[in-house]
Amino acid sequence: RSGTVQDLDTRCLVFTELQTRLKEAENGAIVTQRKLNRTQTELLEVQGLFNSTQEALVGVKSNLGVIGGELNETRSELSGARRELGAMGGELNETKRLLEDTKLELEDTKFELKNVTESKCALQKGNLTKWDILYSPAYYNKTFTHRLYQQLTTTWDSISNKLFVMTITDKVIELIKDLEDGQIDRCGDLL
């Protein structure tokens, strides 16, 4: 050994100081290791959250794909429904037109019927038989009575007795129109 006590003391001091620094460095390393461990744990937790978020995102993307397909299908159905609605609109317009035409025809017919009922004899001159008078409002759908008989006696003396108590209808009028005067006596049995 060489050196003096003082050198030794100085060296001891340096050595102690180095030991203290080493101890401090070790303590600092321990603290840093703990922080590193905590950070690593936090990083693992964040990694787990990131992975679960990615999985959730994949699920969301998958759901979006399904929803997108359903949306496209719904759009297609909506387009079909719109086409059907357009066709129905055309049918509705045609039905409205037909209804309007029918309404006009009905109004014309009502007007004609009103004119027929308002006139004493709605028959017009032309190709008439003696039986067409039964279509007039005075006789049509009425029970044949003595009063009606008296109105007809001047023109029908030969058949009036057979018509008592009969209701004058289309069937009766058409049957009588086809008969000859000689056949009228037998028509009461047919009616």
Side-chain angles (χ1 to χ4, degrees):
R1 292 189 192 209
S2 63
T4 64
V5 172
Q6 195 175 20
D7 284 339
L8 257 157
D9 283 341
T10 304
R11 283 188 194 157
C12 276
L13 264 175
V14 171
F15 179 70
T16 306
E17 199 176 305
L18 285 175
Q19 276 185 329
T20 303
R21 283 188 193 167
L22 179 60
K23 195 68 160 158
E24 288 173 359
E26 284 175 351
N27 286 338
I30 290 171
V31 168
T32 303
Q33 183 64 41
R34 286 182 187 152
K35 285 182 182 177
L36 181 60
N37 288 343
R38 263 192 309 246
T39 303
Q40 191 173 15
T41 302
E42 290 172 358
L43 184 59
L44 288 173
E45 289 173 1
V46 168
Q47 180 69 36
L49 285 173
F50 177 76
N51 289 341
S52 64
T53 302
Q54 271 190 320
E55 289 172 10
L57 186 58
V58 167
V60 167
K61 284 181 181 178
S62 174
N63 287 342
L64 282 176
V66 170
I67 291 170
E70 290 173 355
L71 180 61
N72 289 337
E73 185 177 324
T74 302
R75 281 183 184 152
S76 175
E77 289 173 4
L78 182 59
S79 288
R82 283 183 178 152
R83 281 190 299 276
E84 287 179 24
L85 183 60
M88 286 180 181
E91 290 175 17
L92 178 61
N93 289 337
E94 178 63 17
T95 303
K96 283 180 180 178
R97 187 191 62 74
L98 289 172
L99 183 59
E100 188 62 31
D101 291 349
T102 304
K103 181 181 175 185
L104 291 174
E105 286 179 34
L106 181 60
E107 287 172 4
D108 289 346
T109 304
K110 281 182 181 179
F111 180 75
E112 289 174 20
L113 281 174
K114 182 180 179 191
N115 287 340
V116 166
T117 1
E118 287 177 357
S119 69
K120 275 289 192 189
C121 179
L123 303 174
Q124 307 216 352
K125 291 183 181 179
N127 192 13
L128 300 176
T129 70
K130 61 185 176 183
W131 302 108
D132 286 323
I133 189 127
L134 297 176
Y135 282 115
S136 70
Y139 302 102
Y140 191 72
N141 273 334
K142 303 229 169 115
T143 302
F144 197 76
T145 64
H146 283 288
R147 184 171 162 257
L148 291 180
Y149 166 74
Q150 289 172 352
Q151 291 176 1
L152 290 175
T153 54
T154 55
T155 55
W156 297 349
D157 287 339
S158 66
I159 64 157
S160 59
N161 288 329
K162 299 291 181 181
L163 297 176
F164 281 129
V165 197
M166 286 186 197
T167 300
I168 305 299
T169 62
D170 287 332
K171 184 177 173 185
V172 171
I173 295 169
E174 293 305 316
L175 179 62
I176 292 173
K177 280 172 69 170
D178 291 337
L179 296 177
E180 296 294 322
D181 285 341
Q183 297 172 312
I184 292 173
D185 290 337
R186 294 179 300 224
C187 78
D189 299 65
L190 298 173
L191 303 173

